[in-house]
Amino acid sequence: MLVLLPPSEGKASSGRGAPLKPESLSLPGLADAREAVLGELVELCLGDEDKAREVLGLSEGLRGEVAKNTELRTAGARPAGEIYTGVLYDALDLASLDAAAKKRAARSLLVFSGLWGAVRVTDRIPSYRCSMGVKLPGLGALASHWRAPMAAALPEVAGGGLVLDLRSSAYGSAWKPKGEVAGRTATVRVLHAPTRKVVSHFNKATKGRIVRSLVSSGVAPSGPGELVEALRDLGYVVEVEAPSRAGVAWALDVLVDEVH
């Protein structure tokens, strides 16, 4: 099982560990694309601060994020699972998993990123600010920048099993499973049961809980149909729309009244 996650806007500090070693990151096929983004991002943030804030979509109150980006090559690095914070990652709470569940998370979870493309939760990265929606002056829109290298690298990473896609639309645009891979991909939408509307907090927290439930239980669904059964066995209320034709992902709705 491969689980595709969005990153979080909020991130923990880099800490005092050893700096980034780009060659140590997973998915080495993305190395050249990563270096291109990293190089331009650092150069942008070393220049005109107001221009950098505008490009990155940062408010005045987040001016310090520009300075953070200038030190990406020298700042301490920590596992990505410790860097990403926010509602989804709070609910997932990787740190509190037992040893077996942590190993499953390390194998299964892939976090998409405007800067790194995609990383494992065990990959050591510095804290940064660069969303997938950014359009860099030289490289252009990052989602477009990542499409070709992702299309080359991700099918192999997906292997032959289930792909559980929990990304937001901005990150989903960087790689869309196609063909046979799409047929064993399931996307999840979380709906507030009384209103049947998407509520951001419910959506993010429930997705974190789903991932935690799967890696904690050790269930290994081989396809979307088995995933539906597994989630129902784990106590989730799931409605499913199987694809009407080959090469289309399954669409799952998880209904929640409240987040515990």
Side-chain angles (χ1 to χ4, degrees):
M1 178 177 65
L2 180 68
V3 182
L4 311 181
L5 296 175
S8 59
E9 288 296 325
K11 298 174 182 69
S13 63
S14 293
R16 299 180 180 179
L20 170 72
K21 294 181 179 179
E23 69 279 4
S24 72
L25 297 178
S26 302
L27 282 70
L30 302 180
D32 289 345
R34 285 173 178 146
E35 179 56 36
V37 180
L38 179 61
E40 184 171 353
L41 181 62
V42 171
E43 182 179 0
L44 170 71
C45 292
L46 283 169
D48 186 299
E49 188 177 83
D50 289 330
K51 178 182 178 182
R53 273 202 309 115
E54 181 181 357
V55 170
L56 296 175
L58 301 176
S59 66
E60 175 67 31
L62 293 173
R63 184 176 290 271
E65 299 293 282
V66 175
K68 177 193 294 185
N69 283 347
T70 67
E71 301 175 348
L72 289 173
R73 296 188 187 277
T74 57
R78 297 167 60 185
E82 297 178 12
I83 290 289
Y84 294 117
T85 59
V87 175
L88 187 155
Y89 291 90
D90 284 347
L92 173 53
D93 195 8
L94 286 166
S96 70
L97 294 173
D98 64 32
K102 285 179 178 177
K103 289 181 180 179
R104 288 189 284 269
R107 290 194 304 266
S108 301
L109 308 188
L110 197 65
V111 185
F112 277 62
S113 161
L115 174 53
W116 313 113
V119 292
R120 303 282 188 183
V121 293
T122 50
D123 284 335
R124 298 180 65 85
I125 59 173
S127 185
Y128 68 97
R129 192 66 174 241
C130 184
S131 72
M132 190 65 79
V134 164
K135 184 177 182 179
L136 291 174
L139 291 176
L142 289 180
S144 297
H145 170 75
W146 284 112
R147 281 182 192 132
M150 289 283 195
L154 265 294
E156 181 178 354
V157 178
L162 168 71
V163 177
L164 175 55
D165 190 350
L166 302 179
R167 298 172 296 167
S168 56
S169 58
Y171 291 90
S173 64
W175 179 63
K176 295 182 179 180
K178 295 181 179 180
E180 185 269 336
V181 178
R184 48 186 167 83
T185 296
T187 63
V188 172
R189 183 174 62 164
V190 179
L191 301 180
H192 182 219
T195 63
R196 300 193 71 81
K197 293 181 179 179
V198 175
V199 179
S200 179
H201 180 81
F202 281 23
N203 180 54
K204 294 175 181 178
T206 302
K207 286 179 177 178
R209 290 176 57 218
I210 286 171
V211 177
R212 183 179 178 85
S213 295
L214 290 171
V215 298
S216 295
S217 66
V219 296
S222 60
E226 290 186 13
L227 172 65
V228 172
E229 294 179 5
L231 290 177
R232 287 172 175 165
D233 288 343
L234 290 167
Y236 294 93
V237 178
V238 183
E239 295 179 352
V240 59
E241 181 179 341
S244 58
R245 55 187 173 84
V248 177
W250 289 50
L252 277 58
D253 284 343
V254 176
L255 306 182
V256 296
D257 290 313
E258 58 183 339
V259 177
H260 302 286

